């Protein structure tokens, strides 16, 4: 195995997640945090919830994007060094959800940054969020040309 | 030949000083200062090449040199008394009289009977000091040329006061050379007082209220030392019938009589005042009001170094006494406490001042520990500290002229504004702080040579841990800037005048190379001096490693490995592509401004203003100084009481 | 001499693997203590490999420079340990790593990394004196600062320096970034002041710092083993016991403030050291 192979192995085994609440009702946030509890224990897969986009590989966004926080979302995305993936969680993250028609709402996450995986639900279940991260790894795999 | 060299080293600066006093134009002043510096540097090398010597000058200006020096001495004391009267300070007048009377008594009753001997002499310690004066001192004077021009322009003086400034600055070098080359304590005393007067004049140079007050404080504290010195002259002569250092040191370790020990204590006391040891630290801290070249000179090659020179010089004579152990404790205490005080400071010059006092404390401690290893450590620290500290002062001077502040908080991100000065400052800091550089090597030597006394090791080691705090944060905040758009050096960066830039650069190279050359410095400078007075080699230096029973410090391997790591890192960092630049993390709320620390707030931009932790509740001057002074004075009293 | 050199070289190469492995076991046991399943033992290696493969992202060039110097210094410390060199020298070289880490963090104007750097400085202020005290106590027993003389001493040091082992434990907790002293940056991915001193280091630079940390872990374990230098089994038992205790402390305590750390670590550490050193000099 060459060094690149080792590194690729590492990439698939250690997705560090930064979770950005883009204006969710907190329903999805609680489910994201539930993934860390002993019941789900995502650290089994090397997934860490990290507080810093500069350290993260996967951006998990919950909630709708509005005019106030769209630059924040963009900035955070830009400050993640590549290779990286984005997961939109919950109906709000996907399309704006119940807030879609509000005057201040831009819409789903993909209005601002490219999204790789969409995890539906209102709120999304922890299982499906974990599933989303695993899917995101598949996306990374394809991006790296490993699939 | 020898006479000429000594003459050039001591008298030429005086003549140049007088010339500088008369020169009103910049061009000739420049030539005279640079020429004097060059001659001093060259002569110091030539004198060093000649090795140790003893010399009895037969006549000077047709007079007996002893008579001449005595005459000058009284003249100088009269000048001091004149200053004291002019300042209407009863304290200064008393201190002046307390020097004139003992000196008169000494000259009247003893001097005639003193056996004629070599009044000038030099061994490696003196030669090292002459080299420091010749090189570091001269570089500081050259720097002064560019600095003072800018300084006076800033003050908006109508009539230049530079003739007066350079008169005293260059005179200082001559006085210092005279001090370290004198063998007769009476001569040392004369030059000692000369440095006191020079420093008084220079500290008060700017003539502001504060400058004047601080210069007076420096004067009285140093005159206190002068009084001790004058009394010591009498005591030494009464106890041993000679005032020649060479005679006093002829029997190293041969138990000095109590009277002689008391005399040594007085001399060390004089040394403590001059070296600004506790509780006399305030004069050196106050001296920072002077233009920066003065601070650089006082801290690096002259003045305070005269104090530790005397203490180191006498070390063999009081070896093995309880005075010696107390001196060691006294110095180590100064090191620990000034490190704590420096943590509480954000004023760059004060940090440097406390660090100087601390390092001098280490040298004093080394003299007190009084083993071959410790003396070697003291002598080498003298060298390394002079180079690094001169560099740091010159840098702070240049920075202050540009940004108008000497507070380190205002130096945040200086690397973007003054890349060269900031980089040199960081270099200076690293040479003070980290291995494999010289200052740290000597600290290691000091700690390991103190092994017989756990308390001493403890204090020195703790002090050394404290110094990390104030140096690191200063170096770090100098670098605190976002990546410039084009390369390392931002456009519009400040460039200092050549006369300032060149000395700074030379000193930086000197500081790094001196560390690399430490095995050589040990072998050719320190070890020969140590072996004059002590039996047994202090260190076994081979393949660039210092080895003793207590441990090993490998200089070359460390330089090689850490240097390789550093240069690889530098190469890597320099080749970073511009696209790897990213704004500092501000929770995604950055405004994208150039400073890189401004949040987008709901009511407009909000700048994050981080500040260092200064631990002022523990390390503040107001908290610590009183206690430190009380303890230091108690220690001095115990030292004196112990002898009696 | 050559064999010693080769041994030191081997130790230096092995150290990051030892350090990484210990970190992996640490994470596993921590997870079990929290009744989680936990990551695979090799997880730290995956993390670092991944970080090495990420794009470089820096605030300025010092951020790329400093981790390399930190790593060099940490590796050099282990090498010097392998050469059974001077303890004080190792201590000073260790400082190089710490100083450059802080300088790099301060080089970024972000408030999080600035605060983290200040806290890291406080951590250094707390553990450096303790480490030095431990070394001084070694030198008082063996008569020199050389590690070689610890091995030549022929008796375990622990019975003579029991309190110093606790002092080293304090230093260990701080240096390993364990609760209650994980003030500048936690080695778990906790989110206090973002990531403290490590906030602005990312990708390969963070990987280098992590590897440097592994070297430090190996070095500190080595220092602990000096307390039972006479037998490998004794040293191993001591290490395992000490590290497990460290883990328990990490899991049962909360993060404290830097003021608490300075008072507690320095106060207790100094007191224990003085006690032990005085007791020790009476014994002699
Ligand atoms: S998807 Fe549902 S639970 Fe999630 S943030 Fe939107 S409203 Fe709340």
């Amino acid at each position: 195995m060459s060094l690149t192979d080792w590194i690729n192995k590492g990439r698939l085994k250690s997705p560090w997640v930064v979770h950005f609440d883009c204006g969710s009702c907190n329903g999805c946030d609680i489910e994201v945090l539930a993934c860390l509890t002993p019941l789900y224990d995502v650290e089994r897969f090397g997934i860490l919830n990290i507080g810093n986009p500069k350290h993260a590989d996967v951006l998990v966004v919950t909630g709708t994007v509005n005019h106030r926080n769209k630059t924040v979302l963009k900035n955070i995305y830009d400050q993640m060094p590549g290779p990286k993936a984005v997961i939109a969680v919950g109906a709000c993250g996907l399309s704006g959800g119940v807030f879609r028609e509000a005057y201040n709402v831009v819409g789903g996450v993909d209005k601002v940054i490219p999204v790789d995986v969409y995890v539906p639900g209102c709120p999304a279940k922890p299982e499906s969020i974990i599933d989303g991260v695993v899917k995101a790894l598949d996306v990374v795999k394809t991006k790296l040309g490993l699939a | 030949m020898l006479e000429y060299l000594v003459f050039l080293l001591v008298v030429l600066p005086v003549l140049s000083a007088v010339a500088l006093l008369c020169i009103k134009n910049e061009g000739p002043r420049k030539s005279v200062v640079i020429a004097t510096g060059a001659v001093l540097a060259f002569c110091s090398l030539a004198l060093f090449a000649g090795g140790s010597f003893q010399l009895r000058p037969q006549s000077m200006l047709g007079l007996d040199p002893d008579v001449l020096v005595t005459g000058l001495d009284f003249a100088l004391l009269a000048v001091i008394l004149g200053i004291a009267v002019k300042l209407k300070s009863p304290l200064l007048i008393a201190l002046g009289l307390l020097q004139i009377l003992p000196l008169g008594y000494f000259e009247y009753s003893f001097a005639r009977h003193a056996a004629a001997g070599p009044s000038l002499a030099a061994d490696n310690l003196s030669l090292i000091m002459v080299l420091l004066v010749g090189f570091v001192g001269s570089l500081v004077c050259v720097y002064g040329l560019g600095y003072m021009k800018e300084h006076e322009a800033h003050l908006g003086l109508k009539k230049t006061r530079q003739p007066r400034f350079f008169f005293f600055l260059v005179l200082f070098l001559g006085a210092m050379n005279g001090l370290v080359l004198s063998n007769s304590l009476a001569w040392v005393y004369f030059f000692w007082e000369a440095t006191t007067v020079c420093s008084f004049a220079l500290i008060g140079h700017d003539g502001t209220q504060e400058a004047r007050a601080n210069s007076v404080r420096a004067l009285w504290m140093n005159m206190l030392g002068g009084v001790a010195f004058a009394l010591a002259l009498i005591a030494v002569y009464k106890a041993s019938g000679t005032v020649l250092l060479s005679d006093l040191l002829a029997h190293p370790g041969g138990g000095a009589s109590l009277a002689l020990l008391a005399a040594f204590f007085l001399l060390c006391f004089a040394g403590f005042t001059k070296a600004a040891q506790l509780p006399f630290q305030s004069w050196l801290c106050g001296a920072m009001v002077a233009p920066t070249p003065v601070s650089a000179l006082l801290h690096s090659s002259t003045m305070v170094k005269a104090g530790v020179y005397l203490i180191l010089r006498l070390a063999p004579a009081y070896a093995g006494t309880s005075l010696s152990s107390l001196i060691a404790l006294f110095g180590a205490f100064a090191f620990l406490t000034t490190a704590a005080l420096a943590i509480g400071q954000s004023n760059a010059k004060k940090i440097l001042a406390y660090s100087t006092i601390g390092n001098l404390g280490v040298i004093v401690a080394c003299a007190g520990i009084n083993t071959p290893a410790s003396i070697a450590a003291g002598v080498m620290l003298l060298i390394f500290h002079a180079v690094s500290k001169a560099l740091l002062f010159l840098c702070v001077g240049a920075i202050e002229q540009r940004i108008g502040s000497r507070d380190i908080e205002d130096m945040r991100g200086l690397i973007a504004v003054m890349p060269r000065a900031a980089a040199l400052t960081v270099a200076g800091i690293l040479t003070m702080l980290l291995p494999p550089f010289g200052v740290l090597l000597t600290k290691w030597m000091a700690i390991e040579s103190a092994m017989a006394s756990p308390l001493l090791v403890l204090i020195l080691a703790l002090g050394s841990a404290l110094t990390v705090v104030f140096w690191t944060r200063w170096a770090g905040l100098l670098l605190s800037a976002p990546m410039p758009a084009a390369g390392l050096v931002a456009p519009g960066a400040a460039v200092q005048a050549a006369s300032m830039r060149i000395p700074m650069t030379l000193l930086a190279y000197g500081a790094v190379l001196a560390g690399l050359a430490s095995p050589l410095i040990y072998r050719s400078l320190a070890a020969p001096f140590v072996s004059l007075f002590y039996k047994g080699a202090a260190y076994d230096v081979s393949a660039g490693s210092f080895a003793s029973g207590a441990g090993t410090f490998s200089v070359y391997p460390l330089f090689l490995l850490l240097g390789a790591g550093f240069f690889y890192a530098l190469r890597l960092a320099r080749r970073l592509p511009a696209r790897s630049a990213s704004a500092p993390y501000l929770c995604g709320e950055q405004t994208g401004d150039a400073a890189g620390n401004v949040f987008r707030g709901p009511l407009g931009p909000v700048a994050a203003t981080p500040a260092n932790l200064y631990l002022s509740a523990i390390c503040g001057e107001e908290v610590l100084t009183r206690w430190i002074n009380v303890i230091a004075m108690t220690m001095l009293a115990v030292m004196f009481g112990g002898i009696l | 001499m050559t064999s010693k050199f080769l041994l030191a070289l081997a130790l230096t190469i092995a150290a990051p693997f030892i350090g990484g492995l210990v970190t992996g076991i640490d994470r596993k046991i921590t997870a079990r203590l929290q009744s989680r399943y936990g990551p695979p033992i090799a997880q730290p290696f995956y993390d670092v490999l991944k970080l090495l493969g990420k794009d470089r992202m820096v605030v300025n060039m010092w951020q790329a420079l400093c981790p390399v110097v930190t790593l060099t210094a940490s590796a050099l410390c282990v090498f010097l340990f392998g050469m059974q060199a001077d303890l004080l020298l190792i201590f000073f070289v260790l400082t190089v790593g710490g100083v450059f880490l802080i300088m790099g963090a301060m080089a970024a104007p972000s408030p999080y990394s600035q605060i983290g750097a200040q806290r890291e400085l406080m951590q250094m202020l707390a553990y450096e004196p303790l480490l030095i005290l431990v070394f001084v106590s070694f030198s008082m027993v063996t008569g020199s600062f050389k590690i070689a003389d610890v091995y030549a001493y022929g008796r375990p040091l622990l019975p003579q320096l029991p309190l110093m082992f606790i002092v080293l434990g304090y230093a260990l907790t701080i240096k390993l970034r364990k609760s209650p002293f994980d003030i500048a940056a936690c080695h778990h991915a906790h989110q206090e002041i973002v990531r403290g001193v490590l906030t602005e280091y990312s990708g390969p630079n963070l990987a280098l710092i992590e590897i440097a940390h592994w070297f430090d872990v190996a070095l500190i374990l080595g220092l602990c083993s000096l307390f039972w230098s006479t037998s490998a089994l004794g040293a191993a038992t001591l290490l395992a016991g000490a590290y497990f205790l460290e883990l328990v402390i990490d899991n049962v305590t909360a993060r404290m403030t830097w003021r608490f750390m300075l008072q507690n670590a320095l106060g207790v550490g100094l007191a224990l050291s003085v006690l032990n050193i005085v007791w020790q000099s009476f014994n002699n």
Side-chain angles (χ1 to χ4, degrees), chain A residues 21 23-29 31 62-64 89-94 96-99 120-124:
Chain A
D21 172 358
S24 108
C25 78
N26 279 175
C28 287
D29 299 334
E31 302 304 320
T62 54
T64 47
V89 171
C92 295
L94 265 52
V98 291
F99 308 111
C122 180

Side-chain angles (χ1 to χ4, degrees), chain B residues 62-135:
Chain B
L63 282 171
D64 180 357
D66 278 324
V67 174
L68 185 69
V69 169
T70 310
L72 286 173
D73 213 349
F74 280 111
L76 192 64
L77 286 174
V79 169
I80 295 180
L81 207 58
I83 296 171
V85 171
K86 207 172 129 203
L87 291 168
K88 297 201 190 74
S89 155
L91 173 68
L92 287 178
I93 296 175
L95 287 173
L97 287 175
L98 274 175
Q99 288 185 71
I100 293 186
L101 296 178
L103 190 70
Y105 173 68
F106 171 75
E107 295 294 346
Y108 176 73
S109 41
F110 303 135
R112 296 285 140 247
H113 315 297
S119 36
L120 293 171
D123 54 18
N124 261 16
L125 182 60
S126 316
L127 293 174
I128 288 170
M129 292 298 292
V130 172
L131 279 173
L132 285 181
V133 173
F135 281 88

Side-chain angles (χ1 to χ4, degrees), chain B residues 401-465:
Chain B
Q401 282 196 333
R402 162 90 189 208
I403 67 170
S405 163
R406 52 175 71 151
D407 193 306
I408 60 171
E409 292 290 346
D410 295 329
M411 296 183 194
R412 243 167 230 287
L414 199 75
I415 194 87
V417 189
M418 306 177 72
R420 187 189 293 265
L424 289 176
T425 313
V426 174
I429 289 172
L430 295 185
T431 55
M432 286 294 297
L433 173 65
L434 293 182
F437 298 111
V439 175
L440 201 100
L441 166 70
T442 51
K443 227 157 259 171
W444 170 84
M445 291 161 81
I447 293 178
E448 299 212 339
S449 65
M451 267 203 17
S453 153
L455 180 61
L456 216 51
V457 177
L458 218 79
I459 298 178
L460 287 175
L462 284 181
S464 158

Side-chain angles (χ1 to χ4, degrees), chain C residues 202-217:
Chain C
S202 62
N205 296 328
L206 186 63
L208 294 186
I209 290 175
E210 191 57 35
I211 299 173
H213 185 69
W214 292 348
F215 274 109
D216 289 352
V217 170

Side-chain angles (χ1 to χ4, degrees), chain B residues 283-566:
Chain B
W283 81 256
L284 192 62
C285 293
M288 68 183 181
V289 298
T292 300
V294 177
S295 316
L297 205 60
L298 290 182
H299 283 259
S300 64
S301 51
T302 62
M303 197 65 187
V304 296
K305 290 290 157 73
V308 286
Y309 163 80
L310 189 68
I311 295 166
L312 266 179
R313 162 68 67 219
L314 292 170
Y318 55 73
T321 61
S322 57
L323 175 66
S324 188
S325 345
L326 282 169
I327 287 178
L329 207 59
F330 185 69
F333 176 71
F335 177 54
L336 176 64
T337 48
T338 52
L341 281 167
I343 290 180
Q345 291 301 318
S346 70
N347 179 331
K349 276 194 165 182
K350 254 205 175 149
I351 295 175
L352 292 181
Y354 279 130
S355 145
T356 297
I357 301 166
N359 277 289
L360 297 175
V362 176
I363 300 179
V364 170
C366 285
I369 296 166
N370 234 325
T371 63
S374 78
I375 299 292
V379 173
M380 287 172 71
L381 183 53
L382 202 69
I383 304 171
F384 297 129
H385 175 256
V387 183
S388 292
K389 199 45 77 61
L391 167 66
L392 282 169
F393 265 108
L394 299 194
C395 288
V396 170
I399 292 169
E400 193 184 356
Q401 282 196 333
R402 162 90 189 208
I403 67 170
S405 163
R406 52 175 71 151
D407 193 306
I408 60 171
E409 292 290 346
D410 295 329
M411 296 183 194
R412 243 167 230 287
L414 199 75
I415 194 87
V417 189
M418 306 177 72
R420 187 189 293 265
L424 289 176
T425 313
V426 174
I429 289 172
L430 295 185
T431 55
M432 286 294 297
L433 173 65
L434 293 182
F437 298 111
V439 175
L440 201 100
L441 166 70
T442 51
K443 227 157 259 171
W444 170 84
M445 291 161 81
I447 293 178
E448 299 212 339
S449 65
M451 267 203 17
S453 153
L455 180 61
L456 216 51
V457 177
L458 218 79
I459 298 178
L460 287 175
L462 284 181
S464 158
L466 292 189
T467 55
V468 175
V469 176
F470 63 86
W471 286 128
T472 309
R473 68 180 179 206
W474 187 5
L477 58 78
L478 285 170
L479 304 176
S480 178
M483 186 125 115
L488 178 62
V489 180
V495 181
Q496 289 82 47
S499 60
M500 290 165 78
R501 205 174 61 229
I502 295 171
M504 281 156 67
T505 317
L506 284 178
L507 282 171
Y509 278 111
V512 173
L513 292 180
L516 186 59
S518 49
L520 190 72
I521 289 177
Y522 171 74
R523 233 177 286 139
S524 57
L525 295 175
F529 170 70
V530 174
S531 64
L532 282 180
F533 301 106
Y534 298 86
K535 279 185 206 58
Y539 288 97
D540 184 13
V541 178
S542 65
S545 293
F546 286 74
S548 76
T552 317
F553 194 106
S554 344
V555 180
Y556 288 168
L558 278 190
F559 253 101
L560 195 72
L561 293 171
L562 286 175
F566 181 80

Side-chain angles (χ1 to χ4, degrees), chain C residues 55-108:
Chain C
D55 292 347
R56 260 180 201 285
M57 184 179 266
V58 293
V59 173
N60 58 29
M61 65 176 270
W62 311 111
Q63 290 225 293
L65 183 145
C66 293
V68 180
V69 180
T70 302
L71 177 60
T72 315
S74 293
L76 188 56
C77 281
V78 173
F79 180 72
L80 287 170
F81 185 87
M83 291 293 285
Q84 306 193 352
D86 193 297
L87 280 166
L88 268 187
L89 185 61
I90 293 177
F91 171 79
F92 288 137
V93 177
L94 199 64
T95 316
V96 177
V99 165
F100 270 84
L101 177 71
I102 294 172
M103 272 168 55
M106 286 191 79

Side-chain angles (χ1 to χ4, degrees), chain B residues 2-16:
Chain B
L2 201 57
E3 281 96 343
Y4 291 116
L5 278 180
V6 173
F7 180 82
L8 279 176
L9 282 166
V10 181
V11 184
L12 175 79
V14 181
L15 300 178
S16 305

